[in-house]
Amino acid sequence: MATYLERIKLTWDLSAEDIKNRAESLKTTVKDVYDKVGALKADELSYENIIQALSNNDSYYSVQRNMLDFPQHVSSKKEIREASTEADKKLSEFDVEMSMRQDVFDNLVAFQEKTDVSKLKPEAKRYLEKLIKLGRRNGLHLNKEVQEKIKTMKKRASDIAIDFNKNINDENTVLEFTEKELDGVPADAIKRFEKTSDGKCKVTLQYPDYFPVMKKCRVPETRQKMEYAFNSRCKEANTKIMEELVEIRDKKSKLLDFPTHAAFVLDMRMAKNPETVSTFLKDLSQKLRPLQGKELKRFLEYKEEECKKLGISFDGKINYWDMRYYMTIAEEREYSIDHNKLKEYFPLDHVTVGLLDIYQELLGLKFKEVPNPPVWHEDVQMFTVVDAESGKFMGHFFLDLFPREGKFSHAACFGLQPGCLEPDGSRQSAAAAMVANFTKPTADQPSLLTHDDVETFFHEFGHVMHDILGQTDFTFFSGTRVERDFVEAPSQMLENWVWEKESLSRMSKHYKDGSPIPDELMEKLVKARNANAGVFNQRQILLGTFDQTIHTRPTADTQAIYAEISKDVLQIPATPNTNMCASFGHLADGYDAQYYGYLWSEVYCMDMFHSRFKKEGIMSPKVGMDYRKFILQPGGSLDAIDMLKNFLGREPSQEAFLVSKGLQA
């Protein structure tokens, strides 16, 4: 079997010293490229020595850099994670230095002025225009004094943002509870928890521990302790960091003649400005308000009933530690769904086979697992991807699906090797990793996924496919490098398959006897898609509004602002002395002023799904290939709105999005 390992330029056996030395060597190599481009005289400028040289450098740097900074998220060795974090900081400072090269910027502008850009290939012309725009966004058209201020701010922001996320990854709080204090928590979770010498359960704040307790534990005091700890993670250190980031971002934006950081960020996004985002979030919140009101009223009724039944006092309100618990009860009662029973039909191994089969059939691909793969941990699987019709090799992907100490604590796709043209004109294949934290198998039970987990798997693997199937010339536009408020749409669109009977039946079977999900349970699950839609979506609006609010002012008391917006939008008060923002990793990891994008891109994902796949067949190879051709293949080489129009055959519409939220269009 062809493994194409020679096509991958990544290695994962670096020592801490190797990482340190390679980072320094990488800086030297890349600086040499910038020095040569910057030293060119105006009459020497050519496509080859400026555009091609910078593009080749992008590709080389991207691969080498990913190899050095990815281990901080996945290595099981603390010294490797620390070396990787330090390399990330040093290289981020270096990125700032290179992005502020006046000589390179001046030569890009000079090349644009002397060249008939209409004769450049569209992608090359777009690359040149983007580099010049980014130079202006770094202040390279301003005086040296302002540039130095911007450079200092960018370096500081980069350093502390890395610290912010390192603090979250290193967080290792453990709470101890008796089994009585965990009454209602599924038996498989109780069994999985490590035990103290006196028999108490050791419960971490990682998702596989946290969510079963918050959704099922009947003891309010236990949920309260868990929620307080969860929303107090890294509170002291990360609150200071986030509030400093807000100040730095605002000052830098004003130096660049933008009124706020949100205005600066959105200038490069589909939404274009904060006013558009604010209107979008407020309008959706108002439309959801009646639905949310009904749901909260029902939650209170369930709570009052349960308090009487358990003989505990009823405080007349829904608290943060109540929210997921009563959302679960509402779903179980109103749709008769027992999620603990349902997950018995989603053993991870079978879900993985079914999911990969669906993606292969839909997108015209073939995947093969690589035996004895060169990976960073024994849990990791590696696969090759080839085009089913032509046999053309497309790339590799990795699956790293179980939690371990020090590992990235959420679920995400990491692009590791961009698909683009090599200096000799051949194609560099892409590589990407999906990192998640699903429940580990035990001696007597396989890893069982909740339906939420299955949805997460489908979503993140959608990003993997976007990375692998992008067919751009330039690294700058490869894979998921699209406008940030569109980047979630291709993956969100693919979440729809976990709500369709046809596809669900292909990736589910009972872990004991292989029986399918009973039709009755399947129908209930599909109907339950909009369960708690009001509260769930208001929480997304809360996070998007909070992000926009702190990034449209010069300073922010994040704890107070979050509490105020939570009360207004979610209509559930934040727990006193907690600060969810301190563990809101998105805001230090490239989503600042852009969290609204999750809801914004849903408009497009629902339009794509209902207008094409739902009408023409969710497993239609024709629609799947159109999707691959018009949405995934261009990467960021076209504006998102143009890709959408190419796929839909018209302007996008909000109708399917509103219906999907249980609202009238």
Side-chain angles (χ1 to χ4, degrees):
M1 184 196 90
T3 58
Y4 302 99
L5 290 177
E6 73 281 357
R7 302 284 295 274
I8 201 155
K9 301 175 180 179
L10 305 154
T11 184
W12 308 114
D13 56 359
L14 301 178
S15 67
E17 191 65 21
D18 289 337
I19 291 173
K20 180 182 176 183
N21 293 338
R22 282 193 179 218
E24 289 306 313
S25 173
L26 180 58
K27 285 162 60 178
T28 302
T29 303
V30 170
K31 183 176 180 298
D32 184 53
V33 174
Y34 277 86
D35 287 347
K36 285 176 180 171
V37 171
L40 293 167
K41 303 287 189 293
D43 60 353
E44 297 173 327
L45 298 174
S46 70
Y47 179 86
E48 289 73 24
N49 65 21
I50 185 163
I51 301 300
Q52 195 68 56
L54 290 173
S55 176
N56 291 343
N57 179 68
D58 288 348
S59 174
Y60 175 77
Y61 182 62
S62 179
V63 173
Q64 299 301 315
R65 163 109 200 224
N66 290 336
M67 198 156 53
L68 301 178
D69 68 19
F70 180 57
Q72 69 186 294
H73 303 295
V74 295
S75 177
S76 54
K77 297 176 181 174
K78 190 174 183 184
E79 69 272 18
I80 300 291
R81 295 197 303 272
E82 288 178 346
S84 175
T85 300
E86 195 55 38
D88 191 8
K89 280 189 178 181
K90 291 250 169 58
L91 291 170
S92 294
E93 289 178 8
F94 176 72
D95 291 345
V96 173
E97 291 281 352
M98 294 304 101
S99 71
M100 301 291 289
R101 289 284 296 253
Q102 188 74 53
D103 52 354
V104 173
F105 174 74
D106 289 345
N107 274 344
L108 284 164
V109 173
F111 176 75
Q112 186 184 47
E113 288 171 351
K114 69 172 271 191
T115 304
D116 181 356
V117 293
S118 67
K119 291 183 178 174
L120 293 176
K121 285 185 178 178
E123 198 176 321
K125 178 174 178 284
R126 184 178 177 86
Y127 179 61
L128 174 61
E129 290 166 351
K130 292 284 184 187
L131 290 183
I132 291 172
K133 181 159 187 174
L134 288 173
R136 292 183 182 282
R137 286 169 66 81
N138 284 322
L140 294 177
H141 59 304
L142 303 173
N143 66 57
K144 285 290 175 193
E145 185 183 346
V146 174
Q147 285 184 31
E148 281 305 312
K149 286 181 182 176
I150 291 170
K151 188 188 293 186
T152 301
M153 288 176 187
K154 285 183 71 174
K155 281 184 177 179
R156 175 63 181 166
S158 173
D159 277 355
I160 62 177
I162 290 167
D163 287 339
F164 186 97
N165 281 312
K166 180 179 184 295
N167 292 340
I168 297 172
N169 287 348
D170 288 347
E171 206 287 326
N172 59 2
T173 299
V174 175
L175 286 80
E176 296 177 3
F177 298 104
T178 64
E179 289 195 21
K180 186 178 178 183
E181 290 170 322
L182 293 170
D183 181 40
V185 175
D188 64 326
I190 298 285
K191 192 173 183 180
R192 197 180 66 248
F193 294 142
E194 284 186 44
K195 306 296 187 292
T196 64
S197 56
D198 59 352
K200 286 186 175 179
C201 296
K202 296 167 77 171
V203 187
T204 73
L205 300 177
Q206 290 183 334
Y207 288 0
D209 287 9
Y210 180 73
F211 287 120
V213 175
M214 297 312 293
K215 289 178 176 181
K216 296 296 288 182
C217 183
R218 295 189 189 99
V219 184
E221 292 80 9
T222 300
R223 297 198 309 272
Q224 185 174 3
K225 286 176 186 172
M226 286 290 288
E227 186 272 327
Y228 182 86
F230 189 79
N231 284 323
S232 300
R233 288 174 297 161
C234 315
K235 183 184 159 192
E236 299 307 318
N238 277 3
T239 298
K240 288 176 187 169
I241 291 174
M242 184 51 64
E243 293 178 0
E244 185 180 349
L245 280 171
V246 168
E247 289 186 42
I248 292 171
R249 290 163 175 169
D250 182 76
K251 287 174 182 172
K252 180 171 75 72
S253 298
K254 286 185 167 68
L255 288 175
L256 291 164
D257 208 25
F258 286 90
T260 63
H261 179 63
F264 169 76
V265 168
L266 295 171
D267 181 52
M268 295 280 279
R269 304 294 175 255
M270 291 183 82
K272 300 303 181 194
N273 57 65
E275 293 74 27
T276 301
V277 174
S278 177
T279 299
F280 171 71
L281 293 173
K282 282 178 180 171
D283 283 357
L284 183 56
S285 183
Q286 282 305 116
K287 286 172 181 169
L288 287 165
R289 187 69 77 209
L291 196 58
Q292 175 196 24
K294 287 177 190 171
E295 291 166 4
L296 288 172
K297 183 171 179 285
R298 285 201 306 273
F299 294 173
L300 264 182
E301 289 167 359
Y302 295 145
K303 182 173 179 177
E304 184 174 19
E305 181 186 322
E306 177 144 309
C307 287
K308 283 178 186 171
K309 186 174 155 187
L310 298 175
I312 54 180
S313 63
F314 173 58
D315 62 6
K317 61 184 179 179
I318 295 296
N319 304 293
Y320 257 67
W321 59 89
D322 294 323
M323 184 172 73
R324 291 189 188 276
Y325 181 70
Y326 288 103
M327 284 174 82
T328 304
I329 285 182
E331 199 170 339
E332 289 175 352
R333 290 207 190 174
E334 291 157 28
Y335 296 93
S336 304
I337 290 182
D338 179 345
H339 279 284
N340 210 43
K341 178 70 179 165
L342 185 61
K343 73 181 183 182
E344 294 179 2
Y345 292 92
F346 292 122
L348 174 61
D349 287 350
H350 186 71
V351 171
T352 303
V353 170
L355 176 145
L356 297 182
D357 281 349
I358 288 168
Y359 271 97
Q360 288 173 94
E361 184 178 326
L362 197 61
L363 299 175
L365 302 169
K366 285 186 179 174
F367 305 152
K368 294 282 186 194
E369 186 168 1
V370 176
N372 305 310
V375 292
W376 52 90
H377 190 272
E378 61 187 14
D379 288 347
V380 180
Q381 296 170 278
M382 181 182 187
F383 294 79
T384 60
V385 182
V386 299
D387 179 73
E389 187 177 343
S390 67
K392 177 185 171 187
F393 175 65
M394 307 297 292
H396 291 95
F397 65 85
F398 302 87
L399 299 178
D400 183 355
L401 303 180
F402 301 120
R404 53 184 177 269
E405 189 173 344
K407 183 183 164 185
F408 181 78
S409 60
H410 302 284
C413 166
F414 292 83
L416 300 175
Q417 181 170 296
C420 59
L421 292 185
E422 300 263 34
D424 65 1
S426 63
R427 177 156 290 280
Q428 174 173 285
S429 60
M434 180 185 157
V435 177
N437 288 276
F438 299 140
T439 305
K440 286 198 85 162
T442 61
D444 54 359
Q445 186 173 283
S447 171
L448 299 177
L449 303 189
T450 65
H451 185 257
D452 284 349
D453 290 335
V454 179
E455 189 172 51
T456 295
F457 200 164
F458 247 80
H459 176 96
E460 296 303 340
F461 196 76
H463 286 309
V464 171
M465 288 294 95
H466 201 171
D467 268 324
I468 301 290
L469 297 177
Q471 294 290 292
T472 56
D473 293 350
F474 291 79
T475 295
F476 192 91
F477 301 119
S478 65
T480 56
R481 298 183 191 202
V482 299
E483 292 107 308
R484 182 63 72 130
D485 50 3
F486 180 69
V487 73
E488 297 299 334
S491 285
Q492 287 172 330
M493 203 281 297
L494 290 153
E495 289 176 23
N496 284 289
W497 273 252
V498 308
W499 295 100
E500 296 288 326
K501 187 175 178 181
E502 181 183 350
S503 42
L504 270 173
S505 62
R506 292 177 60 166
M507 54 181 158
S508 58
K509 70 174 184 182
H510 199 279
Y511 79 97
K512 286 182 178 173
D513 60 17
S515 59
I517 299 178
D519 286 346
E520 185 186 7
L521 183 54
M522 181 85 80
E523 284 165 17
K524 287 173 182 173
L525 175 64
V526 172
K527 281 181 184 172
R529 182 168 192 177
N530 275 333
N532 306 312
V535 170
F536 177 84
N537 287 292
Q538 290 285 25
R539 182 176 179 273
Q540 288 295 91
I541 293 167
L542 153 64
L543 297 177
T545 304
F546 169 76
D547 175 28
Q548 289 293 304
T549 302
I550 65 172
H551 287 119
T552 48
R553 56 181 66 188
T555 60
D557 179 342
T558 54
Q559 186 172 323
I561 291 168
Y562 183 84
E564 182 185 340
I565 298 171
S566 181
K567 193 175 176 184
D568 177 46
V569 174
L570 192 58
Q571 300 191 339
I572 299 174
T575 302
N577 301 315
T578 63
N579 190 9
M580 177 271 173
C581 174
S583 53
F584 195 176
H586 288 76
L587 301 194
D589 200 26
Y591 272 81
D592 42 299
Q594 297 162 94
Y595 194 84
Y596 75 92
Y598 280 97
L599 279 168
W600 177 273
S601 56
E602 266 196 76
V603 171
Y604 306 117
C605 95
M606 287 301 174
D607 198 6
M608 287 190 286
F609 179 70
H610 286 279
S611 300
R612 294 291 315 272
F613 286 100
K614 196 69 175 166
K615 279 185 180 173
E616 298 174 49
I618 65 163
M619 295 307 300
S620 162
K622 180 190 182 303
V623 186
M625 289 305 287
D626 280 354
Y627 185 70
R628 178 175 157 184
K629 177 183 176 182
F630 294 122
I631 301 295
L632 303 181
Q633 198 168 295
S637 65
L638 297 174
D639 286 348
I641 194 69
D642 293 326
M643 289 189 268
L644 285 162
K645 286 191 282 193
N646 291 341
F647 179 69
L648 295 168
R650 56 163 171 77
E651 292 282 344
S653 157
Q654 265 203 14
E655 184 177 343
F657 168 72
L658 293 173
V659 171
S660 78
K661 300 298 178 195
L663 303 170
Q664 292 297 314

